[in-house]
Amino acid sequence: MPLLFNVRHLERKPLFLEGELPAAELELDGIDELIHVHQPLRYGLEVERHERSILVHGRLELRLECECVRCLRAFGQTLDLADWTCLLPLEGDDKVLVSNDCVDLTPYLREDILLAFPRHPLCESECHGLPTAPRNSAKPPSGASQNEGISSAWAELNKLKL
């Protein structure tokens, strides 16, 4: 169920919204192959009516399950938007969609969460990446050419008799 509030309830006093929004409502799956969201978004918001707009501000917290871009190890990271603010105009070209006196905050939450996603998730700032395999430093036997043991596409083509 999306995060909705009734505009008529704002006529007398501000609203306080607190709770959790299921991860499926945010539709964040498939956005980034290294970041997954399985836990709900926790929110604590205050909604106030101003003359021709609605001001929403508060805190958003979301647990992300990430893969490190360097070593591909899974790790968790909390996305914390402590001072999240959104101004929703009620008039003009950019006015918010009001349906049955209700406004859906979910698209605005989703947009700001996507903007706060880590661009290159790292398990730790000092991550050195995947361990590298040691290179074979064996020398070819004396008298053998460097390219004798190595097969290449050109060598195979040279064997063709056309």
Side-chain angles (χ1 to χ4, degrees), residues 3 7-8 16 18 23-25 30 37 39 60 69 73 75 104 106 112 116 119 128-129 133-134 136 143-144 156 161:
L3 181 56
V7 178
R8 293 196 186 266
F16 294 96
E18 191 172 33
E25 285 294 327
V37 180
Q39 296 183 8
L60 304 174
V69 294
R73 184 174 39 175
F75 69 98
D104 183 7
T106 310
D112 286 343
R119 291 190 180 167
H128 296 292
N136 188 358
E156 294 299 318
K161 303 291 183 197

PDB file of all heavy atoms in Angstrom, residues 3 7-8 16 18 23-25 30 37 39 60 69 73 75 104 106 112 116 119 128-129 133-134 136 143-144 156 161:
ATOM      1  N   LEU A   3       2.183   5.218   0.429  1.00  0.00           N
ATOM      2  CA  LEU A   3       2.122   6.148   1.549  1.00  0.00           C
ATOM      3  C   LEU A   3       1.243   7.332   1.150  1.00  0.00           C
ATOM      4  O   LEU A   3       1.649   8.196   0.385  1.00  0.00           O
ATOM      5  CB  LEU A   3       3.524   6.611   1.931  1.00  0.00           C
ATOM      6  CG  LEU A   3       3.643   7.568   3.096  1.00  0.00           C
ATOM      7  CD1 LEU A   3       2.992   6.991   4.349  1.00  0.00           C
ATOM      8  CD2 LEU A   3       5.085   7.896   3.361  1.00  0.00           C
ATOM      9  N   VAL A   7      -5.453  15.493   2.307  1.00  0.00           N
ATOM     10  CA  VAL A   7      -5.194  16.929   2.321  1.00  0.00           C
ATOM     11  C   VAL A   7      -6.159  17.645   3.252  1.00  0.00           C
ATOM     12  O   VAL A   7      -5.794  18.614   3.917  1.00  0.00           O
ATOM     13  CB  VAL A   7      -5.280  17.504   0.889  1.00  0.00           C
ATOM     14  CG1 VAL A   7      -5.073  19.002   0.874  1.00  0.00           C
ATOM     15  CG2 VAL A   7      -4.288  16.822  -0.020  1.00  0.00           C
ATOM     16  N   ARG A   8      -7.370  17.164   3.375  1.00  0.00           N
ATOM     17  CA  ARG A   8      -8.372  17.820   4.246  1.00  0.00           C
ATOM     18  C   ARG A   8      -7.978  17.761   5.720  1.00  0.00           C
ATOM     19  O   ARG A   8      -8.369  18.625   6.487  1.00  0.00           O
ATOM     20  CB  ARG A   8      -9.738  17.195   4.040  1.00  0.00           C
ATOM     21  CG  ARG A   8     -10.303  17.471   2.667  1.00  0.00           C
ATOM     22  CD  ARG A   8     -11.790  17.171   2.641  1.00  0.00           C
ATOM     23  NE  ARG A   8     -12.298  17.294   1.316  1.00  0.00           N
ATOM     24  CZ  ARG A   8     -12.848  18.407   0.831  1.00  0.00           C
ATOM     25  NH1 ARG A   8     -12.923  19.467   1.576  1.00  0.00           N
ATOM     26  NH2 ARG A   8     -13.301  18.436  -0.400  1.00  0.00           N
ATOM     27  N   PHE A  16       1.321  13.908  11.511  1.00  0.00           N
ATOM     28  CA  PHE A  16       2.560  13.186  11.786  1.00  0.00           C
ATOM     29  C   PHE A  16       2.381  11.764  11.281  1.00  0.00           C
ATOM     30  O   PHE A  16       1.458  11.064  11.700  1.00  0.00           O
ATOM     31  CB  PHE A  16       2.875  13.200  13.287  1.00  0.00           C
ATOM     32  CG  PHE A  16       3.176  14.573  13.801  1.00  0.00           C
ATOM     33  CD1 PHE A  16       2.190  15.341  14.392  1.00  0.00           C
ATOM     34  CD2 PHE A  16       4.444  15.107  13.661  1.00  0.00           C
ATOM     35  CE1 PHE A  16       2.467  16.612  14.850  1.00  0.00           C
ATOM     36  CE2 PHE A  16       4.733  16.376  14.118  1.00  0.00           C
ATOM     37  CZ  PHE A  16       3.740  17.138  14.715  1.00  0.00           C
ATOM     38  N   GLU A  18       4.185   8.076  10.745  1.00  0.00           N
ATOM     39  CA  GLU A  18       5.286   7.247  11.205  1.00  0.00           C
ATOM     40  C   GLU A  18       4.946   5.803  10.896  1.00  0.00           C
ATOM     41  O   GLU A  18       3.805   5.377  11.063  1.00  0.00           O
ATOM     42  CB  GLU A  18       5.481   7.432  12.708  1.00  0.00           C
ATOM     43  CG  GLU A  18       6.741   6.840  13.237  1.00  0.00           C
ATOM     44  CD  GLU A  18       6.964   7.233  14.688  1.00  0.00           C
ATOM     45  OE1 GLU A  18       5.996   7.390  15.445  1.00  0.00           O
ATOM     46  OE2 GLU A  18       8.144   7.373  15.041  1.00  0.00           O
ATOM     47  N   ALA A  23       9.229  -2.688   0.881  1.00  0.00           N
ATOM     48  CA  ALA A  23      10.221  -2.447  -0.174  1.00  0.00           C
ATOM     49  C   ALA A  23       9.606  -2.583  -1.570  1.00  0.00           C
ATOM     50  O   ALA A  23       9.991  -1.866  -2.490  1.00  0.00           O
ATOM     51  CB  ALA A  23      11.394  -3.408  -0.017  1.00  0.00           C
ATOM     52  N   ALA A  24       8.639  -3.468  -1.724  1.00  0.00           N
ATOM     53  CA  ALA A  24       8.017  -3.678  -3.030  1.00  0.00           C
ATOM     54  C   ALA A  24       7.292  -2.422  -3.523  1.00  0.00           C
ATOM     55  O   ALA A  24       7.213  -2.183  -4.731  1.00  0.00           O
ATOM     56  CB  ALA A  24       7.042  -4.844  -2.965  1.00  0.00           C
ATOM     57  N   GLU A  25       6.767  -1.604  -2.608  1.00  0.00           N
ATOM     58  CA  GLU A  25       6.064  -0.377  -2.982  1.00  0.00           C
ATOM     59  C   GLU A  25       6.994   0.651  -3.617  1.00  0.00           C
ATOM     60  O   GLU A  25       6.566   1.471  -4.411  1.00  0.00           O
ATOM     61  CB  GLU A  25       5.388   0.249  -1.756  1.00  0.00           C
ATOM     62  CG  GLU A  25       4.143  -0.443  -1.300  1.00  0.00           C
ATOM     63  CD  GLU A  25       3.006  -0.349  -2.308  1.00  0.00           C
ATOM     64  OE1 GLU A  25       2.886   0.660  -3.025  1.00  0.00           O
ATOM     65  OE2 GLU A  25       2.223  -1.314  -2.366  1.00  0.00           O
ATOM     66  N   GLY A  30      16.035  -4.099  -9.598  1.00  0.00           N
ATOM     67  CA  GLY A  30      16.514  -4.019 -10.967  1.00  0.00           C
ATOM     68  C   GLY A  30      17.107  -2.674 -11.352  1.00  0.00           C
ATOM     69  O   GLY A  30      17.585  -2.517 -12.471  1.00  0.00           O
ATOM     70  N   VAL A  37      17.140  -4.130  -2.224  1.00  0.00           N
ATOM     71  CA  VAL A  37      16.356  -3.666  -1.086  1.00  0.00           C
ATOM     72  C   VAL A  37      15.328  -4.744  -0.757  1.00  0.00           C
ATOM     73  O   VAL A  37      14.480  -5.063  -1.593  1.00  0.00           O
ATOM     74  CB  VAL A  37      15.643  -2.335  -1.402  1.00  0.00           C
ATOM     75  CG1 VAL A  37      14.828  -1.863  -0.212  1.00  0.00           C
ATOM     76  CG2 VAL A  37      16.641  -1.280  -1.823  1.00  0.00           C
ATOM     77  N   GLN A  39      14.268  -4.975   2.877  1.00  0.00           N
ATOM     78  CA  GLN A  39      13.640  -4.548   4.119  1.00  0.00           C
ATOM     79  C   GLN A  39      12.805  -3.292   3.873  1.00  0.00           C
ATOM     80  O   GLN A  39      13.076  -2.532   2.944  1.00  0.00           O
ATOM     81  CB  GLN A  39      14.700  -4.302   5.185  1.00  0.00           C
ATOM     82  CG  GLN A  39      15.444  -5.565   5.555  1.00  0.00           C
ATOM     83  CD  GLN A  39      16.450  -5.332   6.665  1.00  0.00           C
ATOM     84  OE1 GLN A  39      16.505  -4.270   7.260  1.00  0.00           O
ATOM     85  NE2 GLN A  39      17.245  -6.342   6.940  1.00  0.00           N
ATOM     86  N   LEU A  60      13.998   9.459   6.810  1.00  0.00           N
ATOM     87  CA  LEU A  60      13.806   8.213   6.074  1.00  0.00           C
ATOM     88  C   LEU A  60      15.005   7.322   6.352  1.00  0.00           C
ATOM     89  O   LEU A  60      16.139   7.792   6.355  1.00  0.00           O
ATOM     90  CB  LEU A  60      13.713   8.465   4.569  1.00  0.00           C
ATOM     91  CG  LEU A  60      12.654   9.445   4.085  1.00  0.00           C
ATOM     92  CD1 LEU A  60      12.811   9.664   2.587  1.00  0.00           C
ATOM     93  CD2 LEU A  60      11.266   8.934   4.410  1.00  0.00           C
ATOM     94  N   VAL A  69      31.990  -3.166  -5.353  1.00  0.00           N
ATOM     95  CA  VAL A  69      32.392  -3.094  -6.762  1.00  0.00           C
ATOM     96  C   VAL A  69      33.817  -3.594  -6.973  1.00  0.00           C
ATOM     97  O   VAL A  69      34.176  -3.946  -8.091  1.00  0.00           O
ATOM     98  CB  VAL A  69      32.261  -1.663  -7.335  1.00  0.00           C
ATOM     99  CG1 VAL A  69      30.831  -1.234  -7.396  1.00  0.00           C
ATOM    100  CG2 VAL A  69      33.095  -0.676  -6.564  1.00  0.00           C
ATOM    101  N   ARG A  73      32.131  -8.757  -2.538  1.00  0.00           N
ATOM    102  CA  ARG A  73      31.657  -9.292  -1.268  1.00  0.00           C
ATOM    103  C   ARG A  73      30.353  -8.594  -0.890  1.00  0.00           C
ATOM    104  O   ARG A  73      30.196  -7.383  -1.079  1.00  0.00           O
ATOM    105  CB  ARG A  73      32.718  -9.068  -0.196  1.00  0.00           C
ATOM    106  CG  ARG A  73      32.356  -9.671   1.139  1.00  0.00           C
ATOM    107  CD  ARG A  73      33.456  -9.565   2.132  1.00  0.00           C
ATOM    108  NE  ARG A  73      34.139  -8.277   2.016  1.00  0.00           N
ATOM    109  CZ  ARG A  73      35.083  -7.858   2.816  1.00  0.00           C
ATOM    110  NH1 ARG A  73      35.489  -8.607   3.794  1.00  0.00           N
ATOM    111  NH2 ARG A  73      35.644  -6.670   2.655  1.00  0.00           N
ATOM    112  N   PHE A  75      27.632  -6.922   1.557  1.00  0.00           N
ATOM    113  CA  PHE A  75      27.659  -6.167   2.809  1.00  0.00           C
ATOM    114  C   PHE A  75      26.385  -5.343   2.910  1.00  0.00           C
ATOM    115  O   PHE A  75      25.706  -5.088   1.926  1.00  0.00           O
ATOM    116  CB  PHE A  75      28.907  -5.269   2.903  1.00  0.00           C
ATOM    117  CG  PHE A  75      28.910  -4.117   1.932  1.00  0.00           C
ATOM    118  CD1 PHE A  75      28.507  -2.851   2.331  1.00  0.00           C
ATOM    119  CD2 PHE A  75      29.323  -4.284   0.627  1.00  0.00           C
ATOM    120  CE1 PHE A  75      28.501  -1.788   1.445  1.00  0.00           C
ATOM    121  CE2 PHE A  75      29.332  -3.233  -0.267  1.00  0.00           C
ATOM    122  CZ  PHE A  75      28.916  -1.972   0.141  1.00  0.00           C
ATOM    123  N   ASP A 104      -0.243  10.867  -2.786  1.00  0.00           N
ATOM    124  CA  ASP A 104       0.665   9.730  -2.654  1.00  0.00           C
ATOM    125  C   ASP A 104       2.095  10.257  -2.578  1.00  0.00           C
ATOM    126  O   ASP A 104       2.592  10.876  -3.517  1.00  0.00           O
ATOM    127  CB  ASP A 104       0.495   8.800  -3.850  1.00  0.00           C
ATOM    128  CG  ASP A 104       1.340   7.544  -3.756  1.00  0.00           C
ATOM    129  OD1 ASP A 104       1.971   7.315  -2.701  1.00  0.00           O
ATOM    130  OD2 ASP A 104       1.366   6.790  -4.748  1.00  0.00           O
ATOM    131  N   THR A 106       4.736   8.255  -2.234  1.00  0.00           N
ATOM    132  CA  THR A 106       5.656   7.196  -2.655  1.00  0.00           C
ATOM    133  C   THR A 106       6.577   7.601  -3.804  1.00  0.00           C
ATOM    134  O   THR A 106       7.781   7.353  -3.732  1.00  0.00           O
ATOM    135  CB  THR A 106       4.875   5.917  -3.007  1.00  0.00           C
ATOM    136  OG1 THR A 106       3.980   5.620  -1.946  1.00  0.00           O
ATOM    137  CG2 THR A 106       5.802   4.749  -3.229  1.00  0.00           C
ATOM    138  N   ASP A 112      14.032  10.421  -4.268  1.00  0.00           N
ATOM    139  CA  ASP A 112      15.131  10.865  -3.404  1.00  0.00           C
ATOM    140  C   ASP A 112      15.960   9.698  -2.885  1.00  0.00           C
ATOM    141  O   ASP A 112      17.166   9.852  -2.661  1.00  0.00           O
ATOM    142  CB  ASP A 112      14.588  11.708  -2.250  1.00  0.00           C
ATOM    143  CG  ASP A 112      14.157  13.095  -2.726  1.00  0.00           C
ATOM    144  OD1 ASP A 112      14.569  13.493  -3.833  1.00  0.00           O
ATOM    145  OD2 ASP A 112      13.409  13.770  -2.014  1.00  0.00           O
ATOM    146  N   ALA A 116      20.055   9.018  -3.553  1.00  0.00           N
ATOM    147  CA  ALA A 116      20.963   8.794  -2.428  1.00  0.00           C
ATOM    148  C   ALA A 116      21.673   7.443  -2.498  1.00  0.00           C
ATOM    149  O   ALA A 116      22.533   7.165  -1.665  1.00  0.00           O
ATOM    150  CB  ALA A 116      20.191   8.909  -1.118  1.00  0.00           C
ATOM    151  N   ARG A 119      26.913   5.315  -5.509  1.00  0.00           N
ATOM    152  CA  ARG A 119      27.240   5.118  -6.926  1.00  0.00           C
ATOM    153  C   ARG A 119      28.134   3.918  -7.142  1.00  0.00           C
ATOM    154  O   ARG A 119      27.970   3.173  -8.089  1.00  0.00           O
ATOM    155  CB  ARG A 119      27.901   6.370  -7.482  1.00  0.00           C
ATOM    156  CG  ARG A 119      26.934   7.498  -7.571  1.00  0.00           C
ATOM    157  CD  ARG A 119      27.516   8.636  -8.319  1.00  0.00           C
ATOM    158  NE  ARG A 119      26.522   9.698  -8.365  1.00  0.00           N
ATOM    159  CZ  ARG A 119      26.786  10.914  -8.724  1.00  0.00           C
ATOM    160  NH1 ARG A 119      27.994  11.246  -9.068  1.00  0.00           N
ATOM    161  NH2 ARG A 119      25.838  11.805  -8.740  1.00  0.00           N
ATOM    162  N   HIS A 128      40.875  -3.535  -1.426  1.00  0.00           N
ATOM    163  CA  HIS A 128      41.852  -3.649  -2.513  1.00  0.00           C
ATOM    164  C   HIS A 128      41.343  -4.507  -3.665  1.00  0.00           C
ATOM    165  O   HIS A 128      42.075  -4.741  -4.621  1.00  0.00           O
ATOM    166  CB  HIS A 128      43.172  -4.222  -1.975  1.00  0.00           C
ATOM    167  CG  HIS A 128      43.824  -3.319  -0.988  1.00  0.00           C
ATOM    168  ND1 HIS A 128      44.357  -2.098  -1.333  1.00  0.00           N
ATOM    169  CD2 HIS A 128      43.997  -3.431   0.347  1.00  0.00           C
ATOM    170  CE1 HIS A 128      44.850  -1.509  -0.264  1.00  0.00           C
ATOM    171  NE2 HIS A 128      44.640  -2.289   0.773  1.00  0.00           N
ATOM    172  N   GLY A 129      40.145  -5.009  -3.566  1.00  0.00           N
ATOM    173  CA  GLY A 129      39.577  -5.785  -4.652  1.00  0.00           C
ATOM    174  C   GLY A 129      39.859  -7.264  -4.537  1.00  0.00           C
ATOM    175  O   GLY A 129      40.302  -7.757  -3.497  1.00  0.00           O
ATOM    176  N   ALA A 133      45.838 -13.569  -8.991  1.00  0.00           N
ATOM    177  CA  ALA A 133      46.523 -14.858  -9.096  1.00  0.00           C
ATOM    178  C   ALA A 133      47.994 -14.605  -9.401  1.00  0.00           C
ATOM    179  O   ALA A 133      48.319 -13.706 -10.183  1.00  0.00           O
ATOM    180  CB  ALA A 133      45.892 -15.698 -10.185  1.00  0.00           C
ATOM    181  N   PRO A 134      48.900 -15.371  -8.821  1.00  0.00           N
ATOM    182  CA  PRO A 134      50.321 -15.170  -9.122  1.00  0.00           C
ATOM    183  C   PRO A 134      50.604 -15.513 -10.579  1.00  0.00           C
ATOM    184  O   PRO A 134      50.060 -16.469 -11.120  1.00  0.00           O
ATOM    185  CB  PRO A 134      51.037 -16.121  -8.168  1.00  0.00           C
ATOM    186  CG  PRO A 134      50.020 -17.129  -7.786  1.00  0.00           C
ATOM    187  CD  PRO A 134      48.679 -16.457  -7.892  1.00  0.00           C
ATOM    188  N   ASN A 136      52.734 -16.842 -13.737  1.00  0.00           N
ATOM    189  CA  ASN A 136      53.688 -17.924 -13.964  1.00  0.00           C
ATOM    190  C   ASN A 136      54.985 -17.312 -14.470  1.00  0.00           C
ATOM    191  O   ASN A 136      55.054 -16.778 -15.567  1.00  0.00           O
ATOM    192  CB  ASN A 136      53.120 -18.918 -14.978  1.00  0.00           C
ATOM    193  CG  ASN A 136      53.986 -20.144 -15.093  1.00  0.00           C
ATOM    194  OD1 ASN A 136      55.026 -20.235 -14.456  1.00  0.00           O
ATOM    195  ND2 ASN A 136      53.541 -21.077 -15.913  1.00  0.00           N
ATOM    196  N   GLY A 143      66.997 -22.803 -25.546  1.00  0.00           N
ATOM    197  CA  GLY A 143      66.934 -23.220 -26.941  1.00  0.00           C
ATOM    198  C   GLY A 143      65.525 -23.170 -27.496  1.00  0.00           C
ATOM    199  O   GLY A 143      65.325 -23.254 -28.691  1.00  0.00           O
ATOM    200  N   ALA A 144      64.513 -23.042 -26.660  1.00  0.00           N
ATOM    201  CA  ALA A 144      63.123 -22.980 -27.134  1.00  0.00           C
ATOM    202  C   ALA A 144      62.742 -21.533 -27.370  1.00  0.00           C
ATOM    203  O   ALA A 144      63.178 -20.644 -26.660  1.00  0.00           O
ATOM    204  CB  ALA A 144      62.187 -23.615 -26.117  1.00  0.00           C
ATOM    205  N   GLU A 156      47.387 -20.876 -36.251  1.00  0.00           N
ATOM    206  CA  GLU A 156      46.420 -21.850 -36.767  1.00  0.00           C
ATOM    207  C   GLU A 156      46.069 -21.553 -38.220  1.00  0.00           C
ATOM    208  O   GLU A 156      45.892 -22.454 -39.026  1.00  0.00           O
ATOM    209  CB  GLU A 156      45.160 -21.848 -35.900  1.00  0.00           C
ATOM    210  CG  GLU A 156      45.377 -22.338 -34.467  1.00  0.00           C
ATOM    211  CD  GLU A 156      45.880 -23.765 -34.401  1.00  0.00           C
ATOM    212  OE1 GLU A 156      45.379 -24.619 -35.171  1.00  0.00           O
ATOM    213  OE2 GLU A 156      46.809 -24.021 -33.618  1.00  0.00           O
ATOM    214  N   LYS A 161      46.170 -24.925 -45.815  1.00  0.00           N
ATOM    215  CA  LYS A 161      46.746 -25.017 -47.160  1.00  0.00           C
ATOM    216  C   LYS A 161      45.646 -24.668 -48.145  1.00  0.00           C
ATOM    217  O   LYS A 161      44.800 -25.475 -48.487  1.00  0.00           O
ATOM    218  CB  LYS A 161      47.246 -26.441 -47.441  1.00  0.00           C
ATOM    219  CG  LYS A 161      48.245 -26.937 -46.441  1.00  0.00           C
ATOM    220  CD  LYS A 161      49.545 -26.191 -46.572  1.00  0.00           C
ATOM    221  CE  LYS A 161      50.542 -26.776 -45.586  1.00  0.00           C
ATOM    222  NZ  LYS A 161      51.657 -25.933 -45.355  1.00  0.00           N
TER     223      LYS A 161
END
